[in-house]
Amino acid sequence: MAESYEVVLQQVAVRDLLGLLGFLEASSRELMGLVSSESFINVGGGDINKALIEEVIAYKGDVCLAGRLYEFLVSPTISLPCVLLRVVKYSEGVDVELSFNEVPFLNADCVMRAMRDYSDDLSNRFEFSQFYGGLEPAVDVNTRYFTGNSFGPLGL
């Protein structure tokens, strides 16, 4: 059975959310299948835009947007065939999560090192409280490859 991996960008600044999502989308060939956990949130044509993000932020409850990023370029040499993008808005803020399955011809350690570098680059462009990545669910510190720029138990 293939492993699943996750990278979390925690508590993204609302003012940076649209730019961050645009950057993630630009790192892939295509965003497809954008859906909302709440049926009255209008995902329109399935693209991420200012009106959609404003609607998500204004919503009083918890909401999740999800879509698939195809051919997600993590580094100049590493491209993931499909990455699940989740935008989770909850009472404390907004998290952006990137999940993907193990790719048979790519070394997981190399992919996660590249994801750490990619996330660090994002942290220099956009404001969020922290980033971490590991086996899904990455919230488990015992199965993390990294927390910020520090290696976790699996990233040694």
Side-chain angles (χ1 to χ4, degrees):
M1 188 169 133
E3 297 283 0
S4 294
Y5 299 88
E6 179 179 48
V7 173
V8 177
L9 311 175
Q10 201 168 41
Q11 296 184 337
V12 176
V14 171
R15 70 179 176 280
D16 282 350
L17 184 58
L18 181 60
L20 171 62
L21 296 175
F23 191 90
L24 293 172
E25 187 174 358
S27 294
S28 68
R29 179 182 52 81
E30 184 174 25
L31 168 67
M32 290 187 65
L34 188 64
V35 295
S36 171
S37 62
E38 303 301 323
S39 60
F40 50 84
I41 300 276
N42 182 15
V43 295
D47 63 333
I48 296 171
N49 57 60
K50 185 177 179 184
L52 173 61
I53 298 306
E54 287 174 350
E55 191 174 354
V56 166
I57 297 303
Y59 180 63
K60 296 296 182 206
D62 297 345
V63 64
C64 177
L65 294 177
R68 294 179 308 280
L69 297 165
Y70 289 99
E71 296 178 29
F72 187 79
L73 196 60
V74 180
S75 75
T77 59
I78 297 176
S79 177
L80 299 173
C82 183
V83 172
L84 176 63
L85 168 68
R86 286 185 303 262
V87 179
V88 182
K89 186 243 178 203
Y90 55 101
S91 59
E92 290 83 36
V94 179
D95 292 350
V96 173
E97 303 169 355
L98 302 167
S99 300
F100 54 95
N101 291 329
E102 183 175 28
V103 179
F105 55 87
L106 293 176
N107 177 290
D109 292 340
C110 292
V111 171
M112 291 307 287
R113 267 187 244 112
M115 287 300 284
R116 185 197 65 201
D117 294 344
Y118 183 88
S119 300
D120 184 51
D121 180 55
L122 290 174
S123 74
N124 292 320
R125 297 170 186 260
F126 307 102
E127 183 182 342
F128 44 87
S129 65
Q130 74 168 338
F131 62 91
Y132 54 87
L135 293 174
E136 194 163 8
V139 70
D140 182 353
V141 296
N142 295 316
T143 60
R144 282 196 189 162
Y145 277 81
F146 60 87
T147 301
N149 285 315
S150 300
F151 287 106
L154 298 182
L156 302 173

